[in-house]
Amino acid sequence: MVKDEDAIGKLNGNTSKLRLVGVFAGIGSGLTKVAVGHGFDTVKSRIQVYPGQYKGAMDCCLQIIRKEGPLALYKGVTPPAVAWAAVDSVLLGSLHNYRLRIKNSSLFTEPVPRRESSERRLTLLGHGVAGLAAGLTSAFLATPVELLKVKLQVQYQARKSDRQFSGPIDCMKQVVRAQGIRGLWRGFAGSLAFRANFFWLFISIEALMRGSARLEGTRYEMSEGTANFLSGGLGSFAFWIMAIPADNVKNRVFAAPLTSNTTVREVVRDIYSTAGVAGFFRGLAPSMLRAFPVNASAYFVYEGLLRTLGAEKTRT
């Protein structure tokens, strides 16, 4: 009896530790997003800062590589690497834990098809709810990170000496000086609205993963890693289609001058009155272009790390 209790204690202890695996896998995902996506951001920033100098995104990319070398695409990579590793550790670490908790609820579980055992799995809605909860949880950290990023990105002056902010630390100091510590969370409602759309990301990813599972035994059968890669990339399209309106709103609030008291409601009214519904979908094309490679790679790394580190299974 004592031996059995010891075994149970060890199992519970391991389970407790394994729940931190989602955090470490999230860090890997965040670093992957920066590694794959930072070059896109560099090209975008160059086009914004030096209008007319490049014929387009491809011309800009080729000129940077030709004149400065391929590593120039990763100038300024350190701040976003640290920031997004932290944000994804919260997003995906909490996702893993929410999935485990929701799996214990009969409301969001269903029997695993084609199996005689009593094993149950999360429903598609269950995966969506876990994504929603994780997205809202991550908003607390993501809001100040995105606010500083946007304020730095909208500086169009070519010379650093002409810019209002010299870098992320200086930007943070000026925000706090002008608006107090709460100024770092200005536009939080817009950030919540944006990150609530992780509901659509993870419900889409799971639907695509289940679709790939039906290919087993056919000539189109693919490995789990390949399915993770494709599902992460394709699922991100659903996310951006649903999230781009909130993204437009929150970025407008984030970019407002330090002396402004712009609110989410005011921005919504302004966008609609000047551009109509179409105004809420500005930036959808570049977001979709960047979405597949970044999210496909990030989700591949996240799920791969979970498997490698022996995390509890949250999907079947």
Side-chain angles (χ1 to χ4, degrees), residues 36-51:
V36 176
H38 192 75
F40 288 91
D41 286 336
T42 300
V43 170
K44 182 191 69 174
S45 297
R46 289 290 183 96
I47 292 174
Q48 289 176 335
V49 173
Y50 305 111

Side-chain angles (χ1 to χ4, degrees), residues 25-158:
I27 292 173
S29 169
L31 293 175
T32 302
K33 284 182 179 177
V34 176
V36 176
H38 192 75
F40 288 91
D41 286 336
T42 300
V43 170
K44 182 191 69 174
S45 297
R46 289 290 183 96
I47 292 174
Q48 289 176 335
V49 173
Y50 305 111
Q53 184 169 330
Y54 307 104
K55 298 177 182 177
M58 183 59 69
D59 177 56
C60 177
C61 180
L62 292 175
Q63 283 200 44
I64 292 173
I65 295 174
R66 192 182 309 118
K67 296 177 180 178
E68 304 170 54
L71 292 180
L73 290 169
Y74 289 86
K75 284 182 176 178
V77 72
T78 303
V82 173
W84 288 114
V87 170
D88 265 27
S89 72
V90 175
L91 172 68
L92 298 176
S94 62
L95 174 72
H96 182 63
N97 281 277
Y98 284 131
R99 281 174 169 175
L100 289 172
R101 288 183 176 276
I102 294 173
K103 196 174 181 182
N104 292 327
S105 168
S106 58
L107 181 63
F108 295 111
T109 60
E110 61 187 6
V112 178
R114 298 185 299 277
R115 292 193 187 177
E116 297 180 359
S117 67
S118 60
E119 186 179 358
R120 299 181 68 83
R121 68 179 185 183
L122 283 177
T123 61
L124 288 178
L125 181 59
H127 281 278
V129 170
L132 169 65
L136 297 179
T137 301
S138 66
F140 292 94
L141 179 58
T143 299
V145 168
E146 291 189 339
L147 181 142
L148 297 177
K149 184 193 74 170
V150 169
K151 286 190 179 298
L152 291 170
Q153 285 180 330
V154 297
Q155 296 187 113
Y156 298 107
Q157 299 83 358

Side-chain angles (χ1 to χ4, degrees), residues 246-260:
D247 188 53
N248 270 283
V249 173
K250 76 174 177 62
N251 286 346
R252 288 274 292 270
V253 176
F254 289 165
L258 296 180
T259 55
S260 169

